[in-house]
Amino acid sequence: MRRIWQFFQFVFVGLGNSIIDLGVFNGLYLLWPTRNVKQLVFYNTIAVGAAILNSYIWNSRWTFRQKRRTRGPGATRQRLLFLMQSLINIVVNDLILGLIAPWIAATHAIPHVLANNIAKLMAMFLASLTSFLMMKLVVFI
């Protein structure tokens, strides 16, 4: 039962991360619209970074708090592993967005903004799944 509750805590934190991630991504896009994939990936990197900061705060203090280390070599190791998983999350997220956004937009079946957000949601889902597995099996063990 505890594992199920922990998963739901992670999902709840993930929803908050999603709001931050989508808000920052779309906010940047609204301020500086672009069809340049590299620019979209840059916006995505900033948005994911903001969500990762939120994720660390909530997951370390709530979802995985019983596994959290605050001092000593264990704490340093845990923070480094979290940083490593965060960088992997950003790479996975950026790669998926960078590959899928132009492909969806190329169909011309939907507006460019919607295509970007569909790609963003797919990237967020796959990167979040990767992050959960890494935090559960590597970071907060």
Side-chain angles (χ1 to χ4, degrees), residues 74-132:
T76 302
R77 179 182 179 276
Q78 196 172 73
R79 286 184 189 103
L80 287 172
L81 288 171
F82 186 86
L83 178 62
M84 183 178 70
Q85 101 38 62
S86 297
L87 294 173
I88 290 169
N89 179 303
I90 290 170
V91 169
V92 167
N93 210 307
D94 284 349
L95 281 172
I96 293 167
L97 180 86
L99 292 171
I100 295 176
W103 178 72
I104 294 172
T107 65
H108 301 291
I110 57 176
H112 199 264
V113 175
L114 186 57
N116 292 341
N117 277 281
I118 290 170
K120 176 69 178 150
L121 289 170
M122 292 172 72
M124 287 169 59
F125 174 75
L126 293 172
S128 292
L129 183 60
T130 302
S131 285
F132 175 77

Coordinates of all heavy atoms in Angstrom, one line a residue, residues 74-132:
G74 N 26.4 10.3 2.0 CA 25.1 9.9 1.4 C 24.3 11.0 0.8 O 23.7 10.8 -0.3
A75 N 24.3 12.1 1.4 CA 23.6 13.3 0.9 C 24.2 13.8 -0.4 O 23.5 14.1 -1.3 CB 23.5 14.4 2.0
T76 N 25.5 13.9 -0.4 CA 26.2 14.4 -1.6 C 26.0 13.4 -2.7 O 25.7 13.8 -3.9 CB 27.7 14.5 -1.3 OG1 27.9 15.4 -0.2 CG2 28.5 15.0 -2.5
R77 N 26.1 12.1 -2.5 CA 25.8 11.1 -3.5 C 24.4 11.2 -4.0 O 24.2 11.2 -5.2 CB 26.0 9.7 -2.9 CG 25.8 8.6 -3.9 CD 25.9 7.2 -3.2 NE 25.7 6.2 -4.2 CZ 24.5 5.7 -4.4 NH1 23.4 6.2 -3.9 NH2 24.3 4.7 -5.3
Q78 N 23.4 11.4 -3.1 CA 22.0 11.5 -3.5 C 21.8 12.7 -4.4 O 21.1 12.7 -5.4 CB 21.1 11.6 -2.3 CG 19.7 11.3 -2.6 CD 18.9 11.2 -1.3 OE1 18.7 12.2 -0.6 NE2 18.5 9.9 -0.9
R79 N 22.4 13.9 -4.0 CA 22.2 15.1 -4.8 C 22.9 14.9 -6.2 O 22.3 15.4 -7.2 CB 22.8 16.3 -4.1 CG 21.9 16.7 -2.9 CD 22.5 18.0 -2.2 NE 21.7 18.2 -1.0 CZ 22.1 17.9 0.2 NH1 23.3 17.5 0.4 NH2 21.3 18.2 1.2
L80 N 24.1 14.3 -6.3 CA 24.7 14.1 -7.5 C 23.9 13.2 -8.4 O 23.8 13.4 -9.6 CB 26.1 13.6 -7.3 CG 27.2 14.5 -6.8 CD1 28.5 13.8 -6.5 CD2 27.4 15.7 -7.8
L81 N 23.4 12.1 -7.9 CA 22.5 11.2 -8.6 C 21.3 11.9 -9.1 O 20.8 11.7 -10.2 CB 22.1 10.0 -7.8 CG 23.3 9.0 -7.6 CD1 22.9 7.9 -6.6 CD2 23.7 8.4 -8.9
F82 N 20.7 12.8 -8.3 CA 19.5 13.5 -8.7 C 19.9 14.5 -9.8 O 19.1 14.6 -10.8 CB 18.9 14.3 -7.5 CG 17.6 15.0 -8.0 CD1 16.4 14.3 -7.9 CD2 17.6 16.3 -8.5 CE1 15.2 14.9 -8.3 CE2 16.4 16.9 -8.9 CZ 15.2 16.2 -8.8
L83 N 21.0 15.1 -9.8 CA 21.5 16.0 -10.8 C 21.7 15.2 -12.1 O 21.3 15.7 -13.2 CB 22.8 16.7 -10.4 CG 23.4 17.6 -11.5 CD1 22.5 18.8 -11.8 CD2 24.7 18.1 -11.0
M84 N 22.3 14.0 -12.0 CA 22.5 13.2 -13.2 C 21.1 12.8 -13.8 O 21.0 12.9 -15.0 CB 23.3 11.9 -12.8 CG 23.6 11.0 -14.0 SD 24.6 9.6 -13.5 CE 23.4 8.7 -12.6
Q85 N 20.2 12.4 -13.0 CA 18.9 12.0 -13.5 C 18.2 13.2 -14.1 O 17.5 13.1 -15.1 CB 18.1 11.2 -12.5 CG 17.0 11.7 -11.7 CD 15.9 12.7 -12.1 OE1 15.2 12.4 -13.0 NE2 15.9 13.8 -11.4
S86 N 18.4 14.4 -13.6 CA 17.8 15.6 -14.1 C 18.4 15.9 -15.5 O 17.6 16.3 -16.4 CB 18.1 16.8 -13.2 OG 17.5 16.6 -11.9
L87 N 19.7 15.8 -15.6 CA 20.3 16.0 -16.9 C 19.8 15.0 -18.0 O 19.5 15.4 -19.1 CB 21.8 16.0 -16.8 CG 22.4 17.1 -16.0 CD1 23.9 16.9 -15.8 CD2 22.2 18.5 -16.6
I88 N 19.6 13.8 -17.6 CA 19.1 12.7 -18.5 C 17.6 13.1 -18.8 O 17.2 13.0 -20.0 CB 19.2 11.3 -17.9 CG1 20.7 10.9 -17.8 CG2 18.3 10.3 -18.6 CD1 20.9 9.7 -17.0
N89 N 16.9 13.6 -17.9 CA 15.5 14.0 -18.1 C 15.5 15.1 -19.1 O 14.6 15.1 -20.1 CB 14.9 14.5 -16.8 CG 13.4 15.0 -16.9 OD1 13.1 15.9 -17.7 ND2 12.6 14.3 -16.2
I90 N 16.3 16.1 -19.0 CA 16.4 17.2 -19.9 C 16.7 16.7 -21.3 O 16.1 17.1 -22.3 CB 17.3 18.3 -19.5 CG1 16.8 19.0 -18.2 CG2 17.6 19.3 -20.6 CD1 17.8 20.0 -17.6
V91 N 17.7 15.8 -21.4 CA 18.1 15.3 -22.8 C 17.0 14.5 -23.4 O 16.7 14.7 -24.6 CB 19.4 14.5 -22.6 CG1 19.7 13.7 -23.9 CG2 20.6 15.3 -22.2
V92 N 16.4 13.6 -22.6 CA 15.2 12.8 -23.2 C 14.1 13.8 -23.6 O 13.6 13.6 -24.7 CB 14.7 11.8 -22.1 CG1 13.4 11.2 -22.5 CG2 15.8 10.7 -21.9
N93 N 13.8 14.7 -22.7 CA 12.7 15.7 -23.0 C 13.0 16.5 -24.3 O 12.1 16.6 -25.2 CB 12.5 16.6 -21.8 CG 11.1 17.1 -21.6 OD1 10.5 17.6 -22.6 ND2 10.6 16.9 -20.5
D94 N 14.2 17.0 -24.4 CA 14.6 17.9 -25.5 C 14.6 17.0 -26.8 O 14.2 17.5 -27.9 CB 15.9 18.5 -25.3 CG 15.9 19.7 -24.3 OD1 14.7 20.2 -24.0 OD2 16.9 20.2 -23.9
L95 N 15.2 15.8 -26.7 CA 15.3 15.0 -27.9 C 13.9 14.6 -28.5 O 13.6 14.7 -29.7 CB 16.0 13.7 -27.6 CG 17.5 13.8 -27.6 CD1 18.1 12.5 -27.1 CD2 18.1 14.1 -29.0
I96 N 13.0 14.3 -27.6 CA 11.6 13.9 -28.0 C 10.9 15.1 -28.6 O 10.3 15.0 -29.7 CB 10.8 13.3 -26.9 CG1 11.4 11.9 -26.5 CG2 9.4 13.1 -27.2 CD1 11.0 11.3 -25.2
L97 N 11.0 16.2 -27.9 CA 10.4 17.5 -28.4 C 11.0 17.9 -29.8 O 10.3 18.2 -30.7 CB 10.5 18.6 -27.4 CG 9.9 19.9 -27.9 CD1 8.4 19.9 -27.6 CD2 10.6 21.1 -27.4
G98 N 12.3 17.8 -29.9 CA 13.0 18.2 -31.1 C 12.7 17.3 -32.3 O 12.7 17.8 -33.4
L99 N 12.4 16.1 -32.0 CA 12.1 15.2 -33.1 C 10.6 15.2 -33.5 O 10.3 15.1 -34.6 CB 12.5 13.7 -32.7 CG 14.0 13.5 -32.6 CD1 14.3 12.1 -32.0 CD2 14.7 13.6 -33.9
I100 N 9.8 15.3 -32.5 CA 8.3 15.1 -32.7 C 7.6 16.4 -33.2 O 6.8 16.4 -34.0 CB 7.6 14.5 -31.5 CG1 8.1 13.1 -31.3 CG2 6.1 14.5 -31.7 CD1 7.6 12.4 -30.1
A101 N 8.0 17.5 -32.6 CA 7.4 18.8 -32.9 C 7.4 19.1 -34.4 O 6.4 19.4 -35.0 CB 8.0 20.0 -32.1
P102 N 8.6 19.0 -35.0 CA 8.6 19.3 -36.5 C 7.8 18.3 -37.3 O 7.2 18.7 -38.3 CB 10.1 19.3 -36.9 CG 10.8 19.1 -35.6 CD 9.9 18.8 -34.5
W103 N 7.8 17.1 -36.9 CA 7.1 16.0 -37.6 C 5.6 16.3 -37.5 O 4.9 16.2 -38.5 CB 7.5 14.7 -37.0 CG 6.8 13.5 -37.6 CD1 7.0 13.0 -38.8 CD2 5.7 12.7 -37.0 NE1 6.1 11.9 -39.0 CE2 5.3 11.8 -37.9 CE3 5.1 12.8 -35.8 CZ2 4.3 10.8 -37.7 CZ3 4.1 11.9 -35.5 CH2 3.7 10.9 -36.5
I104 N 5.1 16.6 -36.3 CA 3.7 16.9 -36.2 C 3.3 18.2 -37.0 O 2.3 18.2 -37.7 CB 3.2 17.0 -34.7 CG1 3.4 15.7 -34.0 CG2 1.8 17.5 -34.6 CD1 3.2 15.7 -32.5
A105 N 4.1 19.2 -36.8 CA 3.8 20.5 -37.5 C 3.9 20.3 -39.0 O 3.2 21.0 -39.8 CB 4.8 21.5 -37.1
A106 N 4.7 19.4 -39.5 CA 4.9 19.2 -41.0 C 3.6 18.6 -41.6 O 3.4 18.7 -42.8 CB 6.0 18.2 -41.3
T107 N 2.7 18.0 -40.8 CA 1.5 17.5 -41.4 C 0.5 18.6 -41.8 O -0.4 18.4 -42.6 CB 0.8 16.6 -40.4 OG1 0.3 17.3 -39.2 CG2 1.6 15.4 -39.9
H108 N 0.7 19.8 -41.2 CA -0.1 20.9 -41.5 C -1.6 20.7 -41.1 O -2.5 21.4 -41.6 CB 0.0 21.4 -42.9 CG 1.4 21.8 -43.3 ND1 2.0 22.9 -42.7 CD2 2.3 21.2 -44.1 CE1 3.3 22.9 -43.3 NE2 3.5 21.9 -44.1
A109 N -1.9 19.6 -40.4 CA -3.3 19.3 -40.1 C -3.7 20.1 -38.9 O -4.9 20.3 -38.7 CB -3.4 17.8 -39.8
I110 N -2.8 20.5 -38.0 CA -3.2 21.3 -36.8 C -2.3 22.5 -36.7 O -1.2 22.6 -37.3 CB -3.1 20.4 -35.6 CG1 -1.6 19.9 -35.4 CG2 -4.1 19.3 -35.5 CD1 -1.4 19.1 -34.1
P111 N -2.7 23.5 -36.0 CA -1.9 24.7 -35.8 C -0.5 24.4 -35.2 O -0.4 23.5 -34.4 CB -2.7 25.6 -34.9 CG -4.1 25.1 -35.0 CD -4.0 23.7 -35.3
H112 N 0.4 25.2 -35.5 CA 1.8 25.0 -35.0 C 1.9 25.0 -33.5 O 2.6 24.2 -32.9 CB 2.7 26.1 -35.6 CG 4.1 25.8 -35.5 ND1 5.0 26.2 -34.5 CD2 4.9 25.1 -36.4 CE1 6.2 25.8 -34.7 NE2 6.2 25.1 -35.9
V113 N 1.1 25.9 -32.8 CA 1.1 25.9 -31.3 C 0.6 24.6 -30.8 O 1.2 24.1 -29.8 CB 0.3 27.1 -30.8 CG1 0.2 27.1 -29.3 CG2 0.9 28.4 -31.3
L114 N -0.4 24.1 -31.3 CA -1.0 22.8 -30.9 C 0.0 21.7 -31.1 O 0.2 20.8 -30.3 CB -2.3 22.5 -31.5 CG -3.1 21.3 -31.0 CD1 -3.4 21.4 -29.5 CD2 -4.4 21.2 -31.8
A115 N 0.6 21.7 -32.3 CA 1.6 20.7 -32.6 C 2.8 20.7 -31.5 O 3.2 19.6 -31.1 CB 2.2 20.9 -34.0
N116 N 3.2 21.9 -31.2 CA 4.3 22.0 -30.2 C 3.8 21.5 -28.8 O 4.6 20.8 -28.2 CB 4.7 23.5 -30.0 CG 5.4 24.0 -31.2 OD1 5.9 23.3 -32.1 ND2 5.4 25.4 -31.3
N117 N 2.6 21.7 -28.5 CA 2.1 21.3 -27.2 C 1.9 19.8 -27.1 O 2.1 19.1 -26.1 CB 0.9 22.1 -26.7 CG 1.3 23.4 -26.1 OD1 1.7 23.4 -24.9 ND2 1.2 24.5 -26.8
I118 N 1.4 19.2 -28.2 CA 1.3 17.7 -28.3 C 2.7 17.1 -28.1 O 2.8 16.1 -27.4 CB 0.6 17.3 -29.6 CG1 -0.9 17.7 -29.6 CG2 0.7 15.8 -29.8 CD1 -1.6 17.6 -30.9
A119 N 3.7 17.6 -28.9 CA 5.0 17.1 -28.8 C 5.5 17.3 -27.3 O 6.2 16.4 -26.8 CB 5.9 17.8 -29.8
K120 N 5.3 18.4 -26.7 CA 5.7 18.7 -25.4 C 5.1 17.7 -24.4 O 5.8 17.2 -23.5 CB 5.3 20.2 -25.0 CG 5.6 20.6 -23.6 CD 7.1 20.7 -23.4 CE 7.4 21.2 -22.0 NZ 8.7 20.6 -21.5
L121 N 3.8 17.4 -24.5 CA 3.1 16.5 -23.6 C 3.7 15.1 -23.8 O 3.9 14.4 -22.8 CB 1.6 16.5 -23.9 CG 0.9 17.7 -23.4 CD1 -0.6 17.7 -23.9 CD2 0.9 17.9 -21.9
M122 N 4.0 14.7 -25.0 CA 4.6 13.4 -25.2 C 6.0 13.3 -24.6 O 6.4 12.3 -23.9 CB 4.7 13.1 -26.7 CG 3.3 12.8 -27.3 SD 3.4 12.7 -29.1 CE 4.1 11.1 -29.3
A123 N 6.8 14.4 -24.8 CA 8.1 14.5 -24.2 C 8.1 14.4 -22.6 O 8.8 13.8 -22.0 CB 8.8 15.7 -24.7
M124 N 7.1 15.2 -22.1 CA 7.0 15.2 -20.6 C 6.6 13.8 -20.1 O 7.2 13.4 -19.1 CB 5.9 16.2 -20.3 CG 6.2 17.7 -20.4 SD 4.8 18.8 -20.2 CE 4.3 18.4 -18.6
F125 N 5.7 13.2 -20.7 CA 5.3 11.8 -20.3 C 6.5 10.9 -20.3 O 6.7 10.2 -19.2 CB 4.1 11.3 -21.1 CG 3.8 9.9 -20.7 CD1 3.1 9.6 -19.6 CD2 4.2 8.8 -21.5 CE1 2.7 8.3 -19.2 CE2 3.9 7.5 -21.2 CZ 3.1 7.3 -20.0
L126 N 7.2 10.8 -21.4 CA 8.3 9.8 -21.5 C 9.4 10.2 -20.5 O 10.0 9.3 -19.9 CB 8.7 9.7 -22.9 CG 7.7 9.0 -23.8 CD1 8.1 9.1 -25.3 CD2 7.4 7.6 -23.4
A127 N 9.7 11.5 -20.4 CA 10.8 11.9 -19.5 C 10.4 11.7 -18.1 O 11.3 11.3 -17.3 CB 11.2 13.3 -19.8
S128 N 9.2 11.9 -17.7 CA 8.7 11.7 -16.4 C 8.8 10.2 -16.0 O 9.1 9.9 -14.8 CB 7.3 12.2 -16.2 OG 7.2 13.6 -16.3
L129 N 8.4 9.3 -16.9 CA 8.5 7.9 -16.6 C 10.0 7.5 -16.4 O 10.3 6.8 -15.4 CB 7.9 7.1 -17.8 CG 7.9 5.6 -17.6 CD1 7.0 5.2 -16.4 CD2 7.3 5.0 -18.9
T130 N 10.8 8.0 -17.2 CA 12.3 7.8 -17.0 C 12.7 8.3 -15.7 O 13.5 7.6 -14.9 CB 13.1 8.5 -18.1 OG1 12.6 8.0 -19.4 CG2 14.6 8.2 -18.0
S131 N 12.3 9.5 -15.3 CA 12.7 10.1 -14.0 C 12.2 9.3 -12.8 O 12.9 9.1 -11.8 CB 12.2 11.5 -13.9 OG 12.9 12.4 -14.7
F132 N 11.0 8.9 -12.9 CA 10.4 8.1 -11.8 C 11.3 6.8 -11.5 O 11.7 6.5 -10.4 CB 9.0 7.7 -12.0 CG 8.4 6.8 -10.9 CD1 8.1 7.3 -9.6 CD2 8.3 5.4 -11.1 CE1 7.7 6.5 -8.6 CE2 7.9 4.6 -10.0 CZ 7.6 5.1 -8.8

